[in-house]
Amino acid sequence: MKVTSNVKSIVGKADKKIYGHFLEHFHTQIYGGVFDPDSKFADGDGFRSDVIEALKAIKVPVIRWPGGCFASAYHWKYGVGRDRVPEYNKAWRVEEPNTFGTDEFVKLCRKIGCEPYICTNAGTGTPEEMSDWVEYCNLKAEGPWAKNRIANGSKDPFNVKYWSIGNENYGPWEIGAWNSDQWGPLVREAAKMMLKVDSTVELSAAALSDPSWNYRLLRDAGQYLKWISIHGYWAENFDGVKTLGYDKVALLTGSCISDPIDKARAILTTLGLEKRIKIAFDEWNLRFWYHPLILDAIKTEKPLTEDDYLAPRKLNDRNQIYTMSDAVFAACFLNTCLKNCDVVGMACFSPAVNTRGAIFTYGDGIVLRPTYYVFRLFSNYMKGTVLNSWKWESDTIEGELHGRQVSLDAVDAVVTYGDGGFAVSAVNRDENRCHILELDMTDTPVKEMRVHTLNGKDVCSYNDVDRTEVCVKTTEWKHFEPAVRLEPHSVNVIEIR
Ligand code: AHR
């Protein structure tokens, strides 16, 4: 495939927040994941220092917390201060010890060097509870909640800038699901109170790629929002163990990723809001988490045991599920965000640690899954300005997906520019064939290049405690050669200067 770009033809500025992550109180993401005072890797505050270092290395810009479905039944006030009250979390049917609460989350973000992004409880919570949370985090000392924060040891406000009202409150599975008539007014009232406490916060609200839901939300509350939140998980869940074949994953990397963005963009544009409100794709992963018997409230003859619904969650942790398929998908997802950088300003990989995350923790260390390296490449090397690119002579991959014949360019590429150089992300989705990517940076003289390639022996390659099958290889800086050979099923970032 030949790609032509010109520094004068710009899509827009890429927001680094598209390399964000998500952390939910689910299974071992928090306890035993980022926070584990008993671990030999625990720092003085109980955080896993090896996890923090790994997150720093991928320059995580923002973390969304505490959920997810968890947030819709979470009462933050039980999770601050000396006398923490354990809560029964109705979303995930577990007791939440509340050892890790708002102060710990903000401290974690400070250690990583990222922005905290708090998702409020718009399920069982109230607008007042949400705005009290803003008071606790952002007021200097006025009122009981800021004083409470000071009494808890933090004299300075946390200045949490990003807040989301609710999580997936359109879904029947959610504790506190609303219909579109109810949602807009609830968001509006919550937003008003939160902004009265701190007019500088940036608010998002649970949205989806459904025009009628979004229309009501934006009509009623659009004037208070800077963001709308959408989510995407593309692979069927199966039984938590079986993985989707690479051929299908490769086909999912086309319009399946861009569709929800296109639909959200369309409604923003229709309402003339596309310059003021951005999309936060604040939960995404190829694979949905496996948690049977949870999403619906079911009535059973026998009481459910922990084996029925807790034990299966461990299946999400099996490292062999997360292969080069996941890396190829993740890279194409980030490419899609870059191509849509005029409207997508944030994305949070779901989750950061354990379950289906980029990092897996165990007693003696961590495993960096293939998706981890995708973030390492993009956040370290991709530049700040996304250029238009014209694609010529493209080979394709073909196949059947959801009962339809699909044809995609074999190579998915995005060209970025900044600091006097280019960085091109090029994903070869083809399972079996190498492809040549020919680069033409019209009018800009370039001298040197180097190529970072993330790959494994085959599409099933994965990393685990006893193996590293997927890793990045980087060439030396060398004379610029316009034709770059891309290995099958590889993720590449080509730096050019
Ligand atoms: O399965 C994880 C859940 O996926 C998150 O809690 C929720 O937001 C999404 O539906």
Side-chain angles (χ1 to χ4, degrees):
M1 179 164 82
K2 181 172 174 181
V3 166
T4 304
S5 284
N6 184 304
V7 289
K8 295 199 187 94
S9 179
I10 288 167
V11 180
K13 293 276 172 214
D15 193 322
K16 289 261 178 207
K17 289 196 290 299
I18 62 168
Y19 307 129
H21 285 256
F22 170 55
L23 270 176
E24 176 163 12
H25 289 246
F26 174 88
H27 192 43
T28 55
Q29 293 177 40
I30 302 288
Y31 306 106
V34 287
F35 186 73
D36 191 353
D38 295 331
S39 160
K40 62 182 174 192
F41 300 104
D43 68 10
D45 296 308
F47 299 105
R48 285 270 307 231
S49 53
D50 49 352
V51 174
I52 288 179
E53 286 314 309
L55 292 171
K56 278 163 80 172
I58 54 172
K59 299 189 173 148
V60 172
V62 64
I63 296 183
R64 175 176 181 257
W65 170 88
C69 300
F70 175 86
S72 296
Y74 174 64
H75 296 290
W76 68 269
K77 291 174 187 173
Y78 293 134
V80 296
R82 264 173 221 98
D83 303 314
R84 309 268 174 119
V85 184
E87 276 177 280
Y88 183 72
N89 185 264
K90 296 184 194 77
W92 296 127
R93 284 192 157 130
V94 284
E95 186 176 81
E96 164 54 46
N98 273 325
T99 327
F100 186 103
T102 307
D103 295 61
E104 290 72 27
F105 172 59
V106 171
K107 194 177 263 180
L108 172 72
C109 290
R110 300 288 178 251
K111 285 177 191 245
I112 295 167
C114 70
E115 290 284 344
Y117 170 30
I118 292 182
C119 177
T120 61
N121 174 354
T124 62
T126 60
E128 186 161 40
E129 183 180 7
M130 297 181 221
S131 65
D132 287 348
W133 210 350
V134 182
E135 287 193 25
Y136 184 86
C137 291
N138 291 5
L139 285 189
K140 250 196 180 136
E142 308 92 320
W145 297 111
K147 289 184 178 48
N148 194 252
R149 181 200 69 239
I150 294 168
N152 295 340
S154 296
K155 185 170 158 299
D156 293 328
F158 294 151
N159 295 326
V160 176
K161 181 171 174 186
Y162 302 104
W163 296 80
S164 162
I165 299 173
N167 175 75
E168 298 183 359
N169 300 79
Y170 45 78
W173 58 86
E174 199 72 13
I175 301 273
W178 309 110
N179 63 39
S180 56
D181 287 339
Q182 299 164 314
W183 185 235
L186 174 59
V187 171
R188 182 188 62 218
E189 294 313 302
K192 273 160 56 183
M193 290 177 78
M194 294 166 85
L195 286 164
K196 288 219 179 197
V197 175
D198 181 353
S199 59
T200 69
V201 295
E202 294 196 7
L203 300 179
S204 190
L208 75 170
S209 33
D210 172 68
S212 68
W213 175 275
N214 286 352
Y215 173 70
R216 304 299 302 272
L217 167 65
L218 292 167
R219 191 194 64 182
D220 291 341
Q223 62 178 303
Y224 302 110
L225 301 177
K226 279 262 195 267
W227 301 89
I228 51 171
S229 297
I230 60 170
H231 293 171
Y233 296 89
W234 286 263
E236 311 250 332
N237 222 13
F238 298 121
D239 59 358
V241 182
K242 281 195 214 101
T243 60
L244 199 65
Y246 178 85
D247 50 339
K248 294 282 181 260
V249 172
L251 296 176
L252 280 170
T253 60
S255 62
C256 294
I257 297 179
S258 53
D259 263 2
I261 297 173
D262 295 343
K263 288 190 177 133
R265 175 201 286 280
I267 187 83
L268 288 171
T269 311
T270 306
L271 296 174
L273 294 168
E274 79 284 6
K275 298 268 181 304
R276 204 169 58 69
I277 296 183
K278 295 256 180 281
I279 297 169
F281 215 128
D282 57 20
E283 273 185 44
W284 70 272
N285 197 320
L286 168 62
R287 304 169 201 282
F288 194 55
W289 312 353
Y290 184 57
H291 42 60
L293 301 174
I294 279 297
L295 291 184
D296 297 314
I298 38 165
K299 180 141 176 31
T300 54
E301 293 301 314
K302 280 196 295 161
L304 288 176
T305 66
E306 296 203 337
D307 274 353
D308 292 323
Y309 64 91
L310 274 192
R313 293 179 193 181
K314 297 200 179 96
L315 296 174
N316 291 297
D317 287 328
R318 292 158 50 118
N319 286 308
Q320 60 266 50
I321 298 173
Y322 311 104
T323 63
M324 272 311 295
S325 296
D326 299 72
V328 164
F329 183 89
C332 290
F333 178 92
L334 294 178
N335 273 355
T336 308
C337 291
L338 289 169
K339 289 176 203 166
N340 288 281
C341 67
D342 58 318
V343 73
V344 179
M346 188 194 296
C348 303
F349 186 64
S350 168
V353 179
N354 293 333
T355 310
R356 303 224 184 271
I359 299 169
F360 169 78
T361 60
Y362 62 105
D364 288 327
I366 56 177
V367 173
L368 303 177
R369 288 178 175 156
T371 46
Y372 176 87
Y373 291 102
V374 175
F375 285 98
R376 187 180 270 183
L377 289 185
F378 276 71
S379 63
N380 281 296
Y381 303 114
M382 292 302 279
K383 308 285 189 189
T385 302
V386 182
L387 302 183
N388 282 307
S389 35
W390 290 270
K391 305 196 170 84
W392 322 85
E393 301 144 18
S394 182
D395 289 330
T396 56
I397 56 166
E398 329 262 334
E400 199 194 292
L401 185 69
H402 306 141
R404 295 170 72 176
Q405 200 57 26
V406 173
S407 170
L408 295 176
D409 289 345
V411 174
D412 183 47
V414 173
V415 181
T416 60
Y417 181 73
D419 314 318
F422 297 88
V424 181
S425 60
V427 186
N428 181 1
R429 312 187 241 222
D430 196 318
E431 178 170 358
N432 302 308
R433 287 176 303 157
C434 286
H435 288 277
I436 303 293
L437 177 67
E438 204 184 324
L439 296 164
D440 173 19
M441 311 311 184
T442 61
D443 299 344
T444 307
V446 288
K447 285 196 190 119
E448 297 185 293
M449 68 190 302
R450 67 173 177 175
V451 183
H452 309 270
T453 300
L454 172 66
N455 210 350
K457 177 166 69 33
D458 56 49
V459 292
C460 300
S461 301
Y462 67 98
N463 296 337
D464 208 336
V465 294
D466 59 353
R467 72 190 67 208
T468 303
E469 295 178 350
V470 177
C471 60
V472 175
K473 294 197 179 99
T474 301
T475 65
E476 295 297 321
W477 282 100
K478 56 185 182 189
H479 185 71
F480 176 70
E481 273 293 331
V484 184
R485 185 175 166 277
L486 306 175
E487 297 167 6
H489 54 77
S490 64
V491 174
N492 308 270
V493 172
I494 304 153
E495 289 184 277
I496 304 164
R497 62 185 186 195

